[in-house]
Amino acid sequence: MRLAANWKDYELIDASSNNRLERWGNKILIRPDPQVIWNTPKKNSLWKKADACYHRSSQGGGNWEYFGDEINSQQICWQDLKFNVKPTGFKHMGLFPEQAANWEFFIKKIKDTKNKVSVLNLFAYTGGATLACAKAGASVCHVDASKGMVLWAKENAKSSGLEKSPIRWIVDDCEKFVLREIRRGRKYDAIILDPPSYGRGPSGEIWKIEDKIYHLLINLSQLLSDMPLFFALNSYTCGLSPSTMKYLLDLTVSKLFLNVSCDEIGLKVKTTNFELPCGSTALAFN
């Protein structure tokens, strides 16, 4: 497992009974995590001092319970990048801290090459990977179906001093955008694919990863340059194991790369010093 490191303002303090105990900036939060299936004693005193807790609903979704004032947006830092985070209606804070393990890989690959690098970041959310690649010197095309998420990513870019970096901000259905880029003859040196398990496009298009991912990868293979740098596929669903994701890359894009690997990414739990898996990544790279 590759662990995310170098966080200044985020910490996974403990994990028990389907929940994480986390520090985001100066706030202590309790958020659900289906991977946390152990019911260990909650000995850390911060379990009783949380600023907020997210409660899942049996009908889907859920709500935040605040033990004091409602939490507004605040900034947290990773290396030189600054992200604006806040509680959302779906338990998330606008950032997946474990993805820093991948950001380190992207940064190293971009900095190690002497060539200019163009990156396509699909399902790009609030721009963590976009900003990491831009900070390393790449030009980035950032695509997400949610206008609100793209605006949030732009705020993060401004906070990180990257508002003038060569980033194209695109609000569009990712599948349709890829088909248009193929017709335009566009090529990219690196592609980052971070799809949700389930979602809807701006016009109500249904996305289900198990049904869509293979054909999307076939199309994306047509957007890679002749000497690409890397291709990254992320997944948060237990239905796609790292080995399954590697198999998908082997079937679709591997002929352009020397290496294809797969693994889990995760976070270190401070109280136990154990490693919590938070998702999977398959990487093809030269």
Side-chain angles (χ1 to χ4, degrees):
M1 184 187 301
R2 290 184 293 122
L3 297 178
N6 299 315
W7 279 107
K8 299 177 182 178
D9 304 308
Y10 171 82
E11 191 173 37
L12 177 53
I13 302 168
D14 201 2
S16 178
S17 305
N18 301 116
N19 283 299
R20 297 185 189 185
L21 178 67
E22 302 170 299
R23 178 177 64 84
W24 293 80
N26 61 0
K27 300 298 182 182
I28 303 298
L29 305 181
I30 298 173
R31 296 192 304 142
D33 188 324
Q35 296 273 46
V36 184
I37 61 174
W38 45 90
N39 187 20
T40 50
K42 297 178 180 178
K43 295 180 179 180
N44 193 301
S45 63
L46 292 176
W47 283 105
K48 297 180 180 180
K49 299 178 182 179
D51 295 288
C53 176
Y54 187 87
H55 301 285
R56 285 196 180 279
S57 168
S58 58
Q59 283 77 43
N63 64 279
W64 286 95
E65 178 184 5
Y66 295 99
F67 307 114
D69 294 335
E70 189 168 325
I71 297 173
N72 298 316
S73 179
Q74 60 177 326
Q75 285 187 355
I76 67 171
C77 297
W78 181 81
Q79 295 190 6
D80 295 328
L81 302 179
K82 295 180 180 179
F83 300 99
N84 301 285
V85 298
K86 60 186 176 182
T88 70
F90 298 96
K91 87 169 183 177
H92 302 304
M93 293 292 290
L95 195 69
F96 295 95
E98 65 275 5
Q99 284 297 325
N102 285 328
W103 304 342
E104 288 188 334
F105 174 86
F106 304 153
I107 289 170
K108 186 177 188 307
K109 294 299 292 184
I110 292 168
K111 285 188 173 181
D112 283 351
T113 182
K114 296 180 181 179
N115 301 321
K116 291 184 177 180
V117 178
S118 60
V119 178
L120 173 61
N121 187 12
L122 294 173
F123 305 97
Y125 196 46
T126 59
T130 293
L131 300 189
C133 292
K135 188 72 175 181
S139 62
V140 186
C141 180
H142 174 110
V143 187
D144 197 281
S146 169
K147 181 179 180 180
M149 291 299 109
V150 174
L151 290 174
W152 196 338
K154 287 183 177 181
E155 291 176 4
N156 289 335
K158 185 176 182 180
S159 297
S160 298
L162 296 170
E163 65 269 31
K164 295 183 179 180
S165 296
I167 303 172
R168 295 169 61 206
W169 303 103
I170 308 292
V171 179
D172 202 349
D173 175 81
C174 289
E175 291 179 288
K176 293 179 179 178
F177 177 80
V178 167
L179 292 176
R180 284 196 291 273
E181 291 289 87
I182 291 172
R183 291 195 293 269
R184 294 173 185 133
R186 187 92 66 176
K187 298 291 182 180
Y188 294 91
D189 304 305
I191 295 177
I192 302 166
L193 189 57
D194 201 358
S197 300
Y198 179 87
R200 290 184 179 273
S203 301
E205 304 91 341
I206 294 176
W207 165 273
K208 190 175 179 182
I209 192 168
E210 291 88 349
D211 297 337
K212 300 283 192 175
I213 190 63
Y214 173 64
H215 293 289
L216 179 57
L217 289 170
I218 290 175
N219 289 334
L220 284 171
S221 67
Q222 300 179 62
L223 292 182
L224 287 165
S225 61
D226 293 336
M227 297 181 65
L229 193 61
F230 64 82
F231 191 109
L233 170 62
N234 290 314
S235 175
Y236 303 95
T237 175
C238 296
L240 288 185
S241 69
S243 296
T244 298
M245 295 162 63
K246 179 181 182 299
Y247 200 111
L248 284 166
L249 294 193
D250 282 332
L251 286 172
T252 54
V253 303
S254 63
K255 63 184 179 182
L256 294 171
F257 297 96
L258 296 174
N259 307 283
V260 181
S261 67
C262 62
D263 52 21
E264 291 181 313
I265 57 174
L267 297 163
K268 182 79 77 173
V269 182
K270 180 181 179 181
T271 298
T272 62
N273 205 38
F274 297 155
E275 300 172 356
L276 180 69
C278 302
S280 302
T281 301
L283 295 167
F285 55 96
N286 288 321

